Amino acid sequence: MAHEFESHGESSPAGDPDADYDYRNDTTNRPALVADLEELVDGDVRFDTYTRELFATDASAYKELPIGVVSPVSTDDVVAVMEYCDDNEIPVLPRGGGTSLAGQAVNEAVVLDFKRYMDEFLEIDPEAGVARAQSGITIARLNNHLAPHDLKFAPDPAWGDKSVLGGAIGNNTTGAHSLQYGKTDAYIEECEVVLSDGTQTTFGWVDVEDLHDRATEARDRGSTIEAQVYAEVGRLLHEEAEEIEERYPDLKRNVSGYNLDMLVENARERGEINMGRLMAGSEGTLAIVTEATVSLEPVPEETALVMLTYDGVLPAMRDVAPILEHDPSAVEVMDDVFLELARDNAEFSELVSTLPEGTDSTLLVEFYADSVAEGKQKIANLLADRLPGYEAAVSPDEAGTVTSDETHAVDALEAYDDDRQAKFWKMRKAGLPILLSNTGDDKHWPFVEDTAVPPEKLPEYISDLQDLFDEHDTFAAYYAHAGPGVLHIRPLLNLKSEAGHETMYAISDAMTDLVIEYGGSVSGEHGDGRSRTEWNKKLYGEQLWNTFRDLKSAFDPNWLLNPGNVCGDHDSTANLRYDPSYTFDADFDPVLNWDNENGFQGMVELCHGCAGCTGHQETTGGVMCPTYRAADEEITSTRGRANLLRNAMSGDLPDDVFDEEFITEVMDLCIGCKGCKNDCPSGVDMAKMKAEVVHEYHQREGISLRDRIFANVESLLSLGSAFAPISNWAMQVPGSGWVMEKTAGIARERDLPAFHRTTFEDLMANRDGSTVSLTEANRKALVVPDPYTNYSHPHIGRAAVEVLEAAGVHVQVPDDVSDSGRPAFSKSMLDHARDTASGNVEALAPQIRDGWDVVTIEPSDAVMYQYDYLDLLSGEDAELVASNTYGVLEYVDRFGLDENIDFGEPTETLTYHGHCHQKSVRKDHHAVGVLRRAGYDVDVLDSGCCGMAGSFGYETEHLSMSRAIGDILADQVRDSTGSQVVAPGASCRSQLGSYEFDDGEPPHPIEMVAGAL
């Protein structure tokens, strides 16, 4: 990689290694700690400012700066770190994906980052139904390994592609299907752990009668802490079992406190306990899990889904208990606040619009079945019971009749095919991002979001909550796991105000009282962390609170493991990311249009840390975030950049946001793919923020020669075209690449585009007008060529014209429009881009009013006209151009123009790679539709950015990153079924051409459509 992320002024020579280390206050002796740990471990040791800030937040409302971060590569590394930290009384925090919602993944400690390296799948025994893996493996990748055996790790958190196995154990994770599968604890067979003194051991099944002997054996081996643990567990089973059975809530979903109820239940029913299951829900406070053996479940043969609609959330809640009698696999609720937000979301508005008028809330009910017919039968039985007037397609005896219960559904939408079911589930799982797309100071915070009560108590509980929120002049959305009684409830608060802090505490206190009154728990899913730890004493009582602390002390005598959590001293309103002392100083006036609440600041503060940008690192789907996929570095993720940008502008970083180091280390590797605009759950637009920040940097520090060259690439290509073929020969002269690299920073390994003396504009000017007369035309289009099409790929422009004219379109090329401004925009030269955009709008708007459409060949140009112009310009003319500009195949598909074309019978199968900018605005499907109607079989890659990103891949310092990203795409192409790869983007074709799939650059899809005429 061209970038290094280890240093920020804290790598000076070590101090006295024997000196006591004051980790809380020391700023001069930290290098001694770093040097000692680097000597001890093979993994990464990073205590620099940027890394510490990157790991100071998770997906919660909290922020706590760690001492430093170690990414171990083995259990031996973990042992070494723990032994050293125990000797020096330094806290340690094991961390996975950083997706925690209660703040348990942030602490003033040495963070052990397991996701970086310790993420291996180790083995599977399909017959026994068990598998073993390291704790840093994501749940999604674990299940990918299990899928060939039709098995799965059953707990299914919504963020399973971001959260890891160790985190699932630490949090006792579950998900939408807990009605069937329960929590993670039920699947732990064995855990390899490192204790707080560095002892490595394995916890699994042990007879209760053998606990004393285990303690003795451990003591004989010199393992004092292990001996204490077995002795304390034996004691609490003997002395505390009655109190545990009495005080623990009778729920499927309780993850507050330590997992003592399962220990007591196993001891009573089996005469043995699983010590590994004590790790479940312990949040890394008892021991560090490095590997785990887990039991597996078969993947269900079929699923059937129905969305029941209601005229209010309370009627929906009253219907939950009767629905549970039908043994569903999941029951999920969405209330009116949620549905209203979904209605305004482009992806889900169509689905919400199909709901009956007056729908206020819905219940999404799923059944597992052995066949489609059985699934339909189960839904028929449910609807006959809960939907008045429903006439089942089965006999009345099988379907049953509507009960006398007062509550029932108003209507129902059924889903049996995979695509429709996936759309239903996607809308439900989009609850968090939909809620968190708010850029104002009032946000939906997760401090009480997963309280749990018995399902039959939900109506009364929700009614009381609504009264509580009314009392505090706020409201919350209700969604998620109604079946087991766990609702995601996020009150709307401004934590930047004193009143917001006071309300947060008051609501937490009152809700704790309510869940106790209804026999519930303060956490049914997301753990104690900083949000709920202080309420455990009220939930469990003084005796069990002390039992928790005794158990913690047995495992961790010095309280070094993730201190403060579960039974510690956390204050739920301390160490918040935002508080009344928070300030934001951008120190410049943004020049782009920010039409969201709070403008540029609102976008900078939008990231809530869910890690959606890191979930694709081990998979290939989606666009975001290409540099993170290639580098696997937090600083290259959207979350990492957003965190550091916010911290710089709020004064938490010593670096100014416009320091060269910040620009180079944080912003430079954002390649402007725009993937986050669509893929980020909250819509964090990092590409746009980078454009603003780097533009201001240019204003202060100037613009490099290379940036000016690439921003004015049309002039460069025009000159090369004018001197072709001499200019092409010059690029082949030995040593020319070296000269380009030394003078302009353009990588010698890259081949620059060849120039054509006859441009696309020349071709159009030399012909005798459009082949389709204006009087006979279906539409009339101004085809605006990008510089690469015009000077280097005129044949692509010619193919576009052939297709359009075959479709009955009258085509012209405007002579008063320059490039779109994309090259300048991509280099953050926003004044230049605005001038270009203004000139183009001035030229095109009158022609659009005269009935002309604007059509581009390059996808990034289309998006520039359609979206980026509205960031640069205001006014009716800019909006007119934006709404009447199309990519060429978008144009054909949008207006059904290919219905006018007679195609031949192509025999090729195509592999289609869409442009990342198209994907960011959900328009990459248009080309696929046209290609298929033209007769091609098309294998559509769920691919990300190609890695060229305009000029990025040509730049010397970015070459290795560009190729690393390109390798991911190349592997997808190799695994595809198409015989010919096609890509609409010039950068994409250039990158793919370097892999020599088709003896050069692959064609633009418009060429394949032209070839099928």
Side-chain angles (χ1 to χ4, degrees):
M1 295 301 165
H3 287 246
E4 299 293 338
F5 306 111
E6 284 84 358
S7 64
H8 288 280
E10 295 180 3
S11 56
S12 56
D16 179 5
D18 296 323
D20 290 336
Y21 178 60
D22 180 2
Y23 66 88
R24 295 186 187 276
N25 302 309
D26 178 42
T27 57
T28 60
N29 202 43
R30 183 174 291 121
L33 172 59
V34 174
D36 289 346
L37 289 175
E38 286 179 336
E39 182 73 21
L40 291 170
V41 304
D42 294 324
D44 300 337
V45 178
R46 296 181 178 179
F47 281 54
D48 61 271
T49 302
Y50 284 2
T51 298
R52 293 170 69 211
E53 288 287 351
L54 288 167
F55 284 80
T57 53
D58 51 14
S60 73
Y62 297 93
K63 178 179 180 181
E64 180 80 355
L65 198 66
I67 299 167
V69 179
V70 176
S71 300
V73 298
S74 66
T75 299
D76 288 344
D77 275 0
V78 178
V79 169
V81 170
M82 199 63 248
E83 286 178 343
Y84 179 89
C85 289
D86 182 51
D87 289 343
N88 292 276
E89 297 188 2
I90 301 172
V92 175
L93 163 63
R95 173 167 160 144
T99 59
S100 304
L101 288 161
Q104 56 266 56
V106 296
N107 216 328
E108 187 179 25
V110 172
V111 172
L112 290 174
D113 172 24
F114 281 93
K115 192 178 181 184
R116 182 81 167 102
Y117 298 120
M118 292 187 66
D119 61 350
E120 294 298 312
F121 180 82
L122 300 174
E123 63 180 340
I124 181 174
D125 183 342
E127 292 185 4
V130 295
R132 186 167 63 94
Q134 290 182 311
S135 59
I137 192 171
T138 64
I139 303 302
R141 193 153 65 87
L142 172 62
N143 279 327
N144 287 343
H145 284 284
L146 304 176
H149 306 282
D150 292 324
L151 295 170
K152 67 176 181 177
F153 178 65
D156 56 347
W159 293 119
D161 56 342
K162 297 99 177 165
S163 53
V164 303
L165 179 60
I169 293 170
N171 199 60
N172 203 3
T173 289
T174 183
H177 296 94
S178 63
L179 290 173
Q180 290 287 324
Y181 298 125
K183 307 187 295 288
T184 293
D185 54 10
Y187 300 91
I188 296 173
E189 296 300 320
E190 194 172 81
C191 288
E192 177 190 89
V193 302
V194 175
L195 300 177
S196 63
D197 63 351
T199 298
Q200 178 184 341
T201 189
T202 299
F203 284 147
W205 290 102
V206 56
D207 287 341
V208 173
E209 294 179 355
D210 292 340
L211 286 171
H212 181 269
D213 292 341
R214 290 289 184 98
T216 301
E217 291 169 6
R219 190 171 290 106
D220 291 343
R221 293 196 311 271
S223 182
T224 304
I225 288 182
E226 191 173 0
Q228 291 175 181
V229 165
Y230 281 113
E232 177 61 19
V233 170
R235 185 200 68 79
L236 70 86
L237 286 175
H238 178 68
E239 299 178 9
E240 309 281 354
E242 186 175 335
E243 180 73 3
I244 290 169
E245 290 181 317
E246 182 178 334
R247 292 302 300 252
Y248 269 71
D250 184 16
L251 294 170
K252 286 181 176 290
R253 298 277 290 265
N254 171 36
V255 297
S256 280
Y258 289 125
N259 202 23
L260 304 184
D261 54 340
M262 172 164 274
L263 238 60
V264 170
E265 181 182 340
N266 287 166
R268 185 182 64 252
E269 295 180 356
R270 303 177 51 155
E272 60 178 348
I273 61 171
N274 190 314
M275 292 287 290
R277 295 183 179 184
L278 193 53
M279 300 300 101
S282 65
E283 301 183 359
T285 63
L286 299 182
I288 301 169
V289 177
T290 54
E291 294 179 8
T293 300
V294 294
S295 56
L296 311 173
E297 291 284 346
V299 175
E301 292 292 331
E302 298 288 346
T303 58
L305 201 61
V306 61
M307 186 180 290
L308 300 172
T309 71
Y310 299 85
D311 56 13
V313 69
L314 290 179
M317 292 298 94
R318 284 193 286 269
D319 220 19
V320 171
I323 289 172
L324 292 178
E325 296 177 9
H326 291 263
D327 193 27
S329 56
V331 181
E332 305 282 296
V333 65
M334 293 176 276
D335 78 339
D336 58 327
V337 175
F338 180 101
L339 293 176
E340 197 59 38
L341 291 168
R343 187 172 282 109
D344 294 333
N345 183 287
E347 187 170 3
F348 304 112
S349 58
E350 183 179 351
L351 179 58
V352 177
S353 68
T354 64
L355 298 175
E357 186 175 351
T359 296
D360 181 273
S361 298
T362 68
L363 290 177
L364 191 64
V365 184
E366 183 190 69
F367 291 96
Y368 287 161
D370 293 331
S371 66
V372 174
E374 184 186 6
K376 289 183 177 181
Q377 173 74 69
K378 289 184 175 183
I379 285 183
N381 292 346
L382 173 68
L383 296 183
D385 181 34
R386 307 310 308 161
L387 185 63
Y390 175 77
E391 295 183 6
V394 293
S395 68
D397 290 340
E398 293 175 320
T401 58
V402 176
T403 68
S404 59
D405 189 277
E406 292 182 1
T407 299
H408 48 69
V410 174
D411 209 335
L413 302 177
E414 299 172 54
Y416 301 103
D417 65 90
D418 292 342
D419 289 344
R420 184 168 169 83
Q421 289 191 42
K423 185 176 292 187
F424 279 20
W425 271 115
K426 189 171 185 179
M427 186 173 81
R428 209 304 282 149
K429 291 185 177 182
L432 182 62
I434 288 174
L435 281 178
L436 297 184
S437 58
N438 174 19
T439 58
D441 290 336
D442 291 329
K443 296 182 184 295
H444 291 275
W445 292 107
F447 59 101
V448 290
E449 78 155 355
D450 61 325
T451 54
V453 299
E456 64 273 14
K457 300 291 187 180
L458 279 173
E460 295 88 347
Y461 179 58
I462 294 300
S463 180
D464 286 345
L465 285 185
Q466 289 177 336
D467 291 342
L468 174 64
F469 296 145
D470 288 344
E471 178 185 337
H472 291 284
D473 196 26
T474 187
F475 68 93
Y478 305 92
Y479 71 99
H481 318 304
V486 181
L487 301 186
H488 291 338
I489 304 165
R490 291 192 171 216
L492 190 71
L493 296 177
N494 177 8
L495 294 183
K496 296 177 183 177
S497 69
E498 291 284 358
H501 271 231
E502 293 170 1
T503 302
M504 177 182 178
Y505 187 89
I507 288 176
S508 297
D509 191 18
M511 286 185 66
T512 300
D513 291 338
L514 282 175
V515 297
I516 292 173
E517 177 185 343
Y518 287 114
S521 169
V522 294
S523 178
E525 182 168 13
H526 295 144
D528 293 325
R530 294 173 177 271
S531 296
R532 272 74 69 112
T533 287
E534 75 170 296
W535 308 111
N536 276 339
K537 181 185 288 189
K538 181 183 284 191
L539 176 66
Y540 288 109
E542 189 77 28
Q543 180 177 335
L544 284 185
W545 175 256
N546 289 328
T547 298
F548 292 162
R549 294 174 67 84
D550 289 344
L551 183 67
K552 165 72 172 173
S553 295
F555 271 96
D556 183 15
N558 295 320
W559 285 56
L560 297 178
L561 289 172
N562 204 6
N565 289 273
V566 183
C567 58
D569 57 358
H570 281 327
D571 176 348
S572 62
T573 60
N575 300 107
L576 289 166
R577 191 183 306 188
Y578 300 108
D579 60 28
S581 67
Y582 174 85
T583 60
F584 184 92
D585 182 13
D587 193 27
F588 75 106
D589 293 323
V591 300
L592 295 174
N593 294 329
W594 296 89
D595 57 3
N596 54 283
E597 189 174 357
N598 277 1
F600 176 71
Q601 177 181 347
M603 182 58 69
V604 172
E605 295 174 351
L606 182 58
C607 175
H608 54 85
C610 74
C613 48
T614 69
H616 301 301
Q617 195 269 338
E618 294 158 333
T619 61
T620 53
V623 176
M624 178 181 68
C625 179
T627 50
Y628 179 80
R629 294 186 197 204
D632 194 16
E633 292 274 5
E634 180 74 15
I635 200 171
T636 62
S637 69
T638 301
R639 176 174 72 171
R641 294 188 184 104
N643 269 327
L644 291 178
L645 184 59
R646 183 188 67 252
N647 290 337
M649 291 188 168
S650 63
D652 286 347
L653 278 181
D655 291 350
D656 184 272
V657 71
F658 302 113
D659 287 352
E660 181 180 0
E661 184 174 30
F662 186 89
I663 296 295
T664 301
E665 294 285 348
V666 180
M667 306 308 295
D668 185 53
L669 289 182
C670 170
I671 60 178
C673 70
K674 294 180 178 286
C676 50
K677 182 181 177 69
N678 181 57
D679 290 355
C680 170
S682 294
V684 173
D685 195 340
M686 181 51 63
K688 186 176 176 181
M689 287 192 287
K690 177 192 176 180
E692 278 281 20
V693 170
V694 177
H695 170 75
E696 178 64 18
Y697 177 75
H698 288 331
Q699 302 302 107
R700 300 182 184 205
E701 305 296 333
I703 304 171
S704 70
L705 172 63
R706 186 180 66 188
D707 282 355
R708 292 187 185 277
I709 290 173
F710 281 125
N712 292 279
V713 70
E714 180 164 32
S715 299
L716 178 66
L717 294 179
S718 175
L719 188 64
S721 174
F723 286 94
I726 296 174
S727 51
N728 293 326
W729 299 337
M731 290 191 295
Q732 304 304 316
V733 173
S736 60
W738 181 87
V739 172
M740 290 290 286
E741 184 168 290
K742 294 302 180 183
T743 58
I746 298 174
R748 71 184 78 179
E749 294 88 346
R750 290 293 191 190
D751 293 328
L752 295 175
F755 303 109
H756 284 254
R757 185 66 173 267
T758 303
T759 67
F760 169 68
E761 289 177 338
D762 292 337
L763 291 175
M764 294 297 290
N766 292 336
R767 70 180 197 151
D768 191 21
S770 177
T771 61
V772 179
S773 68
L774 278 171
T775 57
E776 297 176 344
N778 297 317
R779 302 188 73 86
K780 51 184 183 179
L782 299 171
V783 175
V784 183
D786 59 280
Y788 287 96
T789 297
N790 194 31
Y791 300 109
S792 296
H793 302 91
H795 60 285
I796 296 176
R798 185 171 56 211
V801 172
E802 289 176 3
V803 171
L804 292 175
E805 291 185 335
V809 178
H810 179 85
V811 176
Q812 287 187 14
V813 175
D815 56 9
D816 50 0
V817 176
S818 64
D819 76 83
S820 68
R822 170 62 65 199
F825 195 93
S826 70
K827 304 310 295 181
S828 300
M829 295 170 60
L830 301 183
D831 293 336
H832 183 168
R834 181 179 291 104
D835 290 343
T836 301
S838 182
N840 289 346
V841 167
E842 184 177 352
L844 293 172
Q847 298 181 77
I848 292 172
R849 288 192 176 91
D850 196 33
W852 290 86
D853 305 313
V854 178
V855 176
T856 75
I857 297 164
E858 170 63 31
S860 62
D861 271 16
V863 175
M864 185 74 189
Y865 283 107
Q866 294 166 333
Y867 295 91
D868 297 310
Y869 274 21
L870 299 180
D871 290 334
L872 291 164
L873 305 171
S874 299
E876 183 180 331
D877 283 359
E879 293 175 1
L880 186 67
V881 171
S883 59
N884 288 277
T885 299
Y886 312 90
V888 60
L889 287 170
E890 175 193 357
Y891 186 61
V892 172
D893 188 49
R894 174 82 177 272
F895 296 106
L897 299 176
D898 51 333
E899 296 175 3
N900 305 316
I901 300 177
D902 291 327
F903 290 110
E905 296 183 2
T907 58
E908 282 185 287
T909 58
L910 306 179
T911 293
Y912 176 79
H913 164 65
H915 194 282
C916 51
H917 285 189
Q918 285 181 314
K919 293 179 179 181
S920 75
V921 295
R922 300 192 183 99
K923 293 191 175 183
D924 58 308
H925 63 282
H926 291 294
V928 177
V930 176
L931 286 169
R932 285 173 172 163
R933 291 193 296 274
Y936 294 102
D937 288 330
V938 185
D939 181 5
V940 182
L941 296 181
D942 188 4
S943 51
C945 182
C946 70
M948 280 299 285
S951 64
F952 179 87
Y954 288 103
E955 296 164 354
T956 303
E957 72 274 22
H958 297 145
L959 178 66
S960 61
M961 176 63 80
S962 174
R963 285 188 165 169
I965 298 170
D967 289 345
I968 298 171
L969 173 60
D971 287 341
Q972 288 182 270
V973 172
R974 294 187 186 102
D975 292 339
S976 67
T977 60
S979 60
Q980 169 71 62
V981 60
V982 297
S987 291
C988 307
R989 297 194 301 275
S990 175
Q991 180 81 295
L992 288 166
S994 69
Y995 290 92
E996 301 180 351
F997 287 117
D998 299 291
D999 299 323
E1001 290 188 5
H1004 190 296
I1006 196 67
E1007 295 179 80
M1008 305 307 295
V1009 178
L1013 294 176

